Amino acid sequence: MTEIVNHPKLGKLEYLESPEQIHCWHGELEDSELGFDIILETSKLDQADADFIAPIIQNWKVYEEKALEDMREKMTTEPELFGLSKEDAKRLSKLEELPFGCPQFTFYENKEWAIIFLENELGIGEPFGISVNYDGDKLVGVYDLSDSEEI
């Protein structure tokens, strides 16, 4: 049976069937076809930090732009993360819009979260994308998810 709740700060959330030790709630971003997930070690949604998550999902475009800028910087300082030569990375970093799209926001416990860009024109991270991870406001890393496994 599908469980759906209307959270006062996070909107309509649906509990998704997941492997045993992972509990996932899925919601939709406002004015978008995109969504977000909250992954917890318990099915109890009150374990999620709604006060932290709410402003991010309400201003998701601002956070998407921040993640793209963080990727732009990483692209020039660590092009190997993207499988690029320094020359290609430099050229790409100068594009007005980086070719990454379909951001999926994922929140974990303790203010850890990520924006996973599921699509890009470079074939990087296929089939799972590129993850830009944060701890609160601090960038933790940018990861190629091509070696990940589906759960």
Side-chain angles (χ1 to χ4, degrees):
M1 184 171 125
T2 302
E3 183 178 354
I4 297 176
V5 298
N6 246 332
H7 192 279
K9 294 181 180 177
L10 305 176
K12 184 174 133 183
L13 298 171
E14 179 181 353
Y15 183 78
L16 302 177
E17 290 297 320
S18 312
E20 280 182 36
Q21 282 128 15
I22 297 174
H23 300 274
C24 183
W25 291 88
H26 178 78
E28 301 293 320
L29 294 173
E30 201 170 294
D31 300 322
S32 172
E33 294 178 8
L34 303 171
F36 67 93
D37 293 320
I38 301 170
I39 298 175
L40 303 168
E41 292 178 7
T42 174
S43 62
K44 294 181 168 86
L45 187 54
D46 62 354
Q47 295 298 307
D49 190 341
D51 291 330
F52 174 75
I53 297 170
I56 295 172
I57 62 171
Q58 289 164 1
N59 301 296
W60 67 269
K61 288 181 182 177
V62 171
Y63 288 92
E64 176 187 17
E65 286 302 316
K66 179 187 180 334
L68 288 167
E69 287 308 309
D70 288 339
M71 276 203 300
R72 183 183 308 275
E73 184 178 323
K74 282 285 187 192
M75 200 176 284
T76 56
T77 60
E78 299 177 57
E80 64 277 2
L81 285 176
F82 300 88
L84 298 170
S85 68
K86 286 185 180 186
E87 296 76 26
D88 285 343
K90 188 174 182 180
R91 182 182 52 77
L92 283 169
S93 71
K94 291 181 180 178
L95 292 175
E96 188 173 323
E97 287 189 31
L98 290 177
F100 296 94
C102 199
Q104 173 72 38
F105 288 68
T106 304
F107 298 91
Y108 307 96
E109 295 178 19
N110 303 319
K111 294 185 173 53
E112 292 179 17
W113 63 288
I115 300 176
I116 301 168
F117 291 91
L118 300 172
E119 298 175 357
N120 70 80
E121 297 171 15
L122 306 173
I124 302 168
E126 296 294 332
F128 300 111
I130 298 287
S131 181
V132 184
N133 292 42
Y134 297 92
D135 186 351
D137 289 335
K138 182 181 173 223
L139 176 67
V140 175
V142 176
Y143 305 99
D144 175 339
L145 301 179
S146 59
D147 291 334
S148 297
E149 293 181 19
E150 190 168 7
I151 56 170

